[in-house]
């Protein structure tokens, strides 16, 4: 029943291609599970912390909102749009954590480095590039916020060093992800071409086979 329901969520544009149908279904399932997991632990988080407010509420909301990426993919069929929305949600979640743990001084800022890698699930290089751009913007945002709210700490060697390391790591992770995805795309295209030639050969053999 669940399998049939998930198959029904796949956009019509992806149903004609077996590979795309599997990819869409996997991403829809991933986003639904991740969003529901956050919602499932929400009552416990509220009970432990005696309510959620400010950055804590923003953290939970942004993580739960990833379920909307499944809605975007199901209704539009756009892997890029769905992935960019999910990356934006994760970016906001990291910013919320960073705000609670020291802004530019927080080691959790390094979590932004993984966003371009996470975007690989969409198999779209533009989505990985967008995730990297969002992450760089998040680093700049945290530094600006710290500069405005805590001007003395924003120019500290630790804050500048952390921001610089994260920015360099983000550029490296984004470029690496795009290169890896490009290689996978070429390999996949070559595999499809080989399979297409094989089918043509089999069909030609079948057409020329003598009738008994």
């Amino acid at each position: 029943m669940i399998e049939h329901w998930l198959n029904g969520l796949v956009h019509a544009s992806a149903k004609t291609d077996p590979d795309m149908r599997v990819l869409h279904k996997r991403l829809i399932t991933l986003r639904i599970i991740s969003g529901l997991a956050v919602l499932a632990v929400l009552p416990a988080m509220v009970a432990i912390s005696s309510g959620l407010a400010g950055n804590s509420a923003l953290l939970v909301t942004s993580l739960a909102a990833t379920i909307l990426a499944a809605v975007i993919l199901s209704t539009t069929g756009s892997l890029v749009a769905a992935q960019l929305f999910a990356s934006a949600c994760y970016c906001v979640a990291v910013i919320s954590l960073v705000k609670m743990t020291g802004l530019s001084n927080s080691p959790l800022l390094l979590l932004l480095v993984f966003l371009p890698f996470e975007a690989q699930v969409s198999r779209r290089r533009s989505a990985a590039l967008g995730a990297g751009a969002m992450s760089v913007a998040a680093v700049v945002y945290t530094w600006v916020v710290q500069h405005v709210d805590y001007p003395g700490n924003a120019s500290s060697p630790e804050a500048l060093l952390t921001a610089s390391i994260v920015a360099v790591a983000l550029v490296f992770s984004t470029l690496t992800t795009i290169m890896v995805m490009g290689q996978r795309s070429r390999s996949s295209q070559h595999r499809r071409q080989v399979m297409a030639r094989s089918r043509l050969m089999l069909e030609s053999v079948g057409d020329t086979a003598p009738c008994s």
Side-chain angles (χ1 to χ4, degrees):
M1 181 176 178
I2 296 178
E3 186 79 10
H4 178 73
W5 176 67
L6 289 173
N7 288 330
L9 292 178
V10 176
H11 194 264
S13 62
K15 291 184 177 179
T16 56
D17 186 332
D19 291 337
M20 283 294 101
R21 184 173 66 249
V22 172
L23 177 60
H24 278 237
K25 181 180 175 181
R26 181 163 62 241
L27 289 179
I28 289 173
T29 304
L30 173 65
R31 301 309 180 196
I32 290 176
I33 291 176
S34 62
L36 291 179
V38 175
L39 293 176
V41 300
L42 180 59
M45 295 176 63
V46 173
I48 293 174
S49 60
S50 300
L52 296 175
N55 290 319
S56 299
L58 185 60
L59 170 64
V60 174
T61 302
S62 58
L63 290 176
T66 56
I67 197 172
L68 296 178
V71 177
I72 294 173
L73 183 56
S74 179
T75 55
T76 68
S78 175
L79 289 165
V80 175
Q83 181 59 47
L84 288 177
F85 181 83
S87 296
C89 291
Y90 291 135
C91 201
V92 172
V94 174
I95 290 175
S96 303
L97 284 172
V98 167
K99 280 186 173 182
M100 293 186 288
T101 55
L103 287 172
S104 296
N105 293 318
S106 174
L108 294 179
L109 200 62
L110 289 169
L111 291 174
L112 293 170
V113 176
F114 295 99
L115 290 189
F117 291 117
E118 195 276 336
Q120 287 190 75
V121 296
S122 68
R123 298 184 186 176
R124 294 294 182 270
R125 281 173 284 184
S126 56
L129 184 61
M134 289 181 196
S135 300
V136 172
V139 174
V140 175
Y141 170 77
T142 55
W143 188 87
V144 169
V145 170
Q146 182 153 332
H147 182 76
V148 172
D149 294 344
Y150 310 99
N153 294 332
S155 58
S156 66
E158 294 82 3
L160 293 175
L161 179 62
T162 302
S164 300
I165 290 175
V166 173
V168 172
L170 275 170
V171 173
F172 177 77
S173 67
T174 301
L175 293 177
T176 302
T177 300
I178 291 174
M179 291 173 60
V180 171
M181 293 175 74
Q183 180 62 37
R184 288 180 178 176
S185 177
R186 289 189 292 270
S187 299
S188 178
Q189 184 178 5
H190 176 70
R191 186 168 59 253
R192 286 196 296 268
Q193 291 174 349
V194 171
M195 293 177 64
R197 286 196 295 266
S198 300
R199 284 196 296 268
L200 288 174
M201 292 177 63
L202 290 173
E203 291 173 359
S204 62
V205 170
D207 292 339
T208 57
C211 298
S212 55

